[in-house]
Amino acid sequence: MCTRCLWLDASKPDYVAYHDEEWGVPIWNDNKLFEFITLESAQAGLSWYTILKKRTHYRAAFKGFDVEAVAKMTETDVEQLMDNPGIIRNRAKIKATINNAQRFIAVQQEYGSFAKYQWSYVDFEPIINDIRGREDYPATTEISERFAKDLKKRGFKFLGPTTVYAHMQASGMVNDHDNDCFRKNPLIEHAKSLDLRSLLN
């Protein structure tokens, strides 16, 4: 039987699949990063599992997380999304997603890719944290504070330091799997094999 992270509710198969297959895997594909940013910003004030259950609805509502298409969404689209029971019907969060798509594209234009911008915060290598118990999970870090501050300066919404740290965990910028979790070491080896510095520069 696999040992998994302490935070995981193993009674939920979709949550287990997310932990086993996605959480902490380094991502450098911009569309995938936009998906994670969209979902994390929607989570603000809610549980991640609430958003995870709605992920397929978010994918359909926001055009497969095509950042160019989302950036062009209009007030008419906002009104239609407010009637969509599959997503969180919060007008501010919906409008923030469209705004964030526009800001995301601006970062791509400046850096060549959002991934290059994002991964520069950890010098293109995941931070591996020593997680022995629940008290070892950080909520924010100095890096997530700086990252969030810069995102805010660039006009992004619903991406404060805690939300940004959750994004960093999800997209593999940090490896916060428990030391005893069966995913910890394979992800360390996977990250070493990637050479993100060469991939993104």
Side-chain angles (χ1 to χ4, degrees):
M1 184 176 175
C2 292
T3 300
R4 294 182 170 91
C5 292
L6 292 169
W7 57 261
L8 181 66
D9 183 345
S11 70
K12 297 169 178 172
D14 48 354
Y15 214 3
V16 171
Y18 170 71
H19 168 274
D20 290 1
E21 298 165 18
E22 294 187 82
W23 195 69
V25 177
I27 297 170
W28 65 95
N29 174 280
D30 272 14
N31 253 45
K32 195 69 176 174
L33 289 173
F34 179 64
E35 174 180 348
F36 274 41
I37 278 178
T38 298
L39 296 174
E40 293 290 357
S41 65
Q43 182 202 347
L46 303 167
S47 75
W48 172 244
Y49 187 64
T50 297
I51 301 301
L52 187 64
K53 287 188 297 181
K54 294 177 177 288
R55 188 180 193 176
T56 55
H57 297 288
Y58 269 90
R59 185 172 287 119
F62 289 105
K63 305 179 184 297
F65 299 109
D66 180 329
V67 68
E68 299 275 351
V70 174
K72 294 174 183 173
M73 293 176 80
T74 65
E75 196 62 39
T76 300
D77 294 309
V78 173
E79 293 304 322
Q80 290 173 347
L81 290 171
M82 285 296 292
D83 290 329
N84 185 339
I87 67 170
I88 303 299
R89 288 180 284 186
N90 178 306
R91 187 179 300 275
K93 288 183 177 181
I94 291 168
K95 295 185 82 166
T97 296
I98 299 168
N99 167 79
N100 289 350
Q102 295 162 355
R103 306 285 77 77
F104 192 99
I105 291 168
V107 172
Q108 289 178 318
Q109 291 169 344
E110 181 179 347
Y111 283 83
S113 71
F114 191 88
K116 184 175 180 180
Y117 161 73
Q118 172 173 316
W119 279 94
S120 69
Y121 279 93
V122 292
D123 198 27
F124 303 96
E125 290 184 14
I127 293 167
I128 301 161
N129 284 325
D130 184 15
I131 308 293
R132 303 181 187 190
R134 293 181 186 275
E135 68 281 357
D136 295 324
Y137 294 117
T140 63
T141 63
E142 183 270 333
I143 294 174
S144 77
E145 296 272 356
R146 282 195 290 112
F147 190 1
K149 185 177 181 180
D150 193 65
L151 289 171
K152 183 177 181 179
K153 185 177 75 174
R154 293 172 182 275
F156 285 80
K157 307 290 185 186
F158 284 98
L159 288 168
T162 302
T163 303
V164 166
Y165 190 71
H167 173 65
M168 291 172 65
Q169 291 174 309
S171 61
M173 290 173 74
V174 293
N175 182 338
D176 272 353
H177 282 277
D178 295 2
N179 293 354
D180 292 334
C181 178
F182 84 102
R183 290 292 285 153
K184 183 86 170 192
N185 289 323
L187 284 179
I188 291 171
E189 294 306 313
H190 175 60
K192 286 179 183 175
S193 72
L194 287 175
D195 190 10
L196 284 170
R197 188 183 304 280
S198 297
L199 274 171
L200 297 172
N201 288 288

